[in-house]
Amino acid sequence: MKALRLVTAAAVTSSLALLSLTAAGPAAGAEEPVPWDRSLRELAADDRLRVGTAVDMNALAEDVPYRSIAGSEFSSVTPENVMKWDALEPRRGERDYAAADRLVRFAEQRGQKVRGHVLVWHSQLPSWLTQGDFTKEELRSILRRHVTETVRHFKGRVWHWDVVNEAFNEDGTLRESIWLRELGPGYIADAFRWAHQADPRAKLFYNDYNIEWAGPKSDAVLDLVRTLRAEGVPVHGVGFQGHWGIQYGLPGGVAENFKRFDDLGVQTAVTEADVRMIMPADEEKLATQAEGYRRMLDACLRARHCVSFTVWGFTDKYSWVPGTFEGEGAANILDEDYQAKPAYRTLQSTLADSSRATLR
Ligand code: XIL
C-alpha cells in the first residue's frame, strides 16, 4: 500500500498528513485512533476504492500546495471544466485538448485514474453550437462527431466517461434541452453506443444530482438504466454527483438507494461530492457537513460495485459554490488554507474503520 503514496519529500511538507497533524495539535494523535499519516488514497486502496477529486487546472498550474495535495491525496481525478465541450471546441472545428491532456499526464505520472467529464450535457456548450442554425440531422452528426472524437482522443487513458449528464428533471421527466428537443430521447442511447465504439474498454456512466436518495428522479434514472441495458446499450455505471446543502437537511436512505443500482449489476460512483452551507460556517454546521460526506462514502462502501468516491474539489479556496449559490460556501473537506475540516477527518476514519466485506 505504501507504494501508492507517490510523494516527494517536498510534497510531504505540504501534504495533508502533516497539515492534519498541525490542525489536530501534536497531542491529538495519541487520543484519536485515526492514522493521520495515511492519505485518503491509501486508506481507500485497502477497500479497493478510488478516491478522487475534481481538478481546477489554473490552481494546478499556479498553486504549489494545491498541486501537491491533488497528486498525493487522491487516486483519481476529474477535470472540473477542461473536458467540457466549450473548452474542447471553443470555435467550430478547432479542437483544443491541451489543458485536458495536461491533466491526463499529471494523473498518469501519479498512478491516478481519470474520470472523463463530460460528453453530453445541456450546459457549458460552445455558443457556435447553441446559437447556430442547424437542422436536426446536422445536430445529430455534430453530437456524434463530438462524442466519437473526444473519446477516441483519450482512448485507453480515460477510465470512466460521464457520457450523459443531468438528463432528468426533479419529477423524473426528461429535461428540456437542445438534445431532447432536436434529437428526441434516443440521443441518450446513441451517445452511449458512439462512446463505446470509440473506446470499448472505457466504463460509461450516466451522471446526475439529487439521485442519491429514492424519489421520482432516481426512480427515472433506475428505469432508464434498466431499459437501456435490456436493449443492449453499453451503460456500465451510474454517477451520483452528491452536491448537497445542509440547510435542506441531510437525506436518508442513501445506502439503500445505491443498493437498488448495485442490484442492476451496474457500477456506481460518487462523482462530485460537496456539502455546502449558508455562510458563515460554524462548528455545528461543519459537523453536519462531515456527516453528509460520511453518508455518501458509507453508501458507496456498502455497495458491491461502487468503484470511486470523488469530491468536487478538495479546498474551499477554489470551490464553485460561492459563485453559484449566493450566500453559501465552505463546501469542501479542507478550508481555504488547506487545513483539514471535520469532513476530511471523517472520511479518513470512515475509510480506516471500514472493511467493505463486513459492511455489506
Ligand atoms: C461546475 C464547475 O465546478 C464550475 O467551475 C463551472 O463554472 C460550472 O460547472 N454538475 C456538474 C459539473 O456536472 O460539471 C458542474 O461543475 C457542477 C454541477
Side-chain angles (χ1 to χ4, degrees):
M1 288 309 132
K2 274 285 171 221
L4 264 182
R5 290 215 81 180
L6 302 170
V7 282
T8 61
V12 168
T13 317
S14 50
S15 89
L16 262 189
L18 280 190
L19 290 172
S20 311
L21 260 185
T22 327
E31 297 153 22
E32 294 249 322
V34 179
W36 291 117
D37 60 325
R38 299 184 74 202
S39 65
L40 296 179
R41 167 185 188 147
E42 193 183 345
L43 291 165
D46 294 350
D47 286 312
R48 298 181 323 282
L49 179 76
R50 294 270 171 170
V51 57
T53 181
V55 174
D56 173 328
M57 292 309 289
N58 294 325
L60 195 74
E62 290 159 12
D63 186 329
V64 172
Y66 182 96
R67 190 178 177 89
S68 155
I69 295 168
S72 60
E73 196 69 24
F74 302 96
S75 45
S76 154
V77 291
T78 305
E80 184 170 356
N81 286 301
V82 298
M83 282 189 196
K84 292 173 180 174
W85 199 334
D86 61 352
L88 287 182
E89 197 181 5
R91 282 165 302 280
R92 191 171 183 203
E94 290 177 34
R95 296 176 70 81
D96 178 3
Y97 294 107
D101 286 344
R102 264 200 302 282
L103 180 62
V104 173
R105 277 195 303 273
F106 176 90
E108 286 172 347
Q109 285 161 1
R110 289 159 181 81
Q112 298 173 317
K113 299 279 192 189
V114 178
R115 295 201 79 263
H117 178 79
V118 50
L119 297 172
V120 186
W121 193 23
H122 62 274
S123 189
Q124 292 180 270
L125 294 170
S127 54
W128 62 260
L129 173 62
T130 51
Q131 281 155 38
D133 187 18
F134 300 109
T135 64
K136 294 180 191 312
E137 290 68 35
E138 284 169 333
L139 266 181
R140 189 163 188 276
S141 75
I142 288 170
L143 183 64
R144 178 177 193 154
R145 195 161 168 206
H146 174 70
V147 170
T148 304
E149 291 196 0
T150 308
V151 175
R152 194 181 285 151
H153 177 84
F154 296 105
K155 186 174 180 191
R157 305 175 77 187
V158 162
W159 181 44
H160 292 170
W161 272 109
D162 288 333
V163 177
V164 176
N165 196 32
E166 303 180 351
F168 286 100
N169 296 311
E170 296 304 302
D171 67 0
T173 57
L174 281 174
R175 181 193 289 268
E176 184 63 29
S177 71
I178 181 172
W179 310 120
L180 183 68
R181 195 170 56 244
E182 303 297 326
L183 311 181
Y187 81 86
I188 299 177
D190 285 343
F192 280 97
R193 290 195 178 104
W194 295 331
H196 186 61
Q197 248 175 17
D199 186 354
R201 297 176 72 169
K203 297 289 180 217
L204 306 182
F205 278 67
Y206 176 82
N207 193 53
D208 215 326
Y209 61 93
N210 291 358
I211 59 166
E212 295 80 36
W213 54 91
K217 194 173 186 177
S218 63
D219 290 354
V221 174
L222 192 71
D223 209 49
L224 170 79
V225 171
R226 188 186 286 125
T227 308
L228 289 176
R229 285 173 63 86
E231 291 167 356
V233 179
V235 183
H236 310 122
V238 172
F240 302 87
Q241 289 186 5
H243 294 293
W244 290 4
I246 63 165
Q247 66 273 23
Y248 307 114
L250 297 178
V254 179
E256 292 75 9
N257 185 51
F258 274 42
K259 188 166 184 306
R260 299 198 296 165
F261 289 86
D262 210 51
D263 289 344
L264 286 185
V266 288
Q267 296 188 342
T268 49
V270 174
T271 55
E272 306 182 16
D274 60 10
V275 182
R276 58 189 191 268
M277 60 192 67
I278 294 170
M279 296 300 277
D282 62 31
E283 217 175 294
E284 195 185 330
K285 290 179 190 174
L286 292 173
T288 307
Q289 169 181 64
E291 170 58 14
Y293 275 100
R294 194 200 62 76
R295 271 188 209 187
M296 288 193 238
L297 176 58
D298 175 71
C300 178
L301 288 167
R302 286 173 194 276
R304 197 172 295 269
H305 307 113
C306 186
V307 290
S308 68
F309 177 87
T310 293
V311 292
W312 204 241
F314 52 89
T315 163
D316 292 338
K317 192 172 178 183
Y318 300 108
S319 171
W320 72 303
V321 167
T324 309
F325 305 94
E326 214 192 314
E328 299 179 45
N332 302 94
I333 58 177
L334 308 184
D335 71 13
E336 299 189 354
D337 300 317
Y338 299 110
Q339 298 298 305
K341 292 159 69 178
Y344 173 79
R345 295 190 206 109
T346 298
L347 293 184
Q348 253 192 338
S349 57
T350 304
L351 289 170
D353 294 348
S354 93
S355 148
R356 293 188 85 169
T358 55
L359 272 181
R360 269 187 223 122

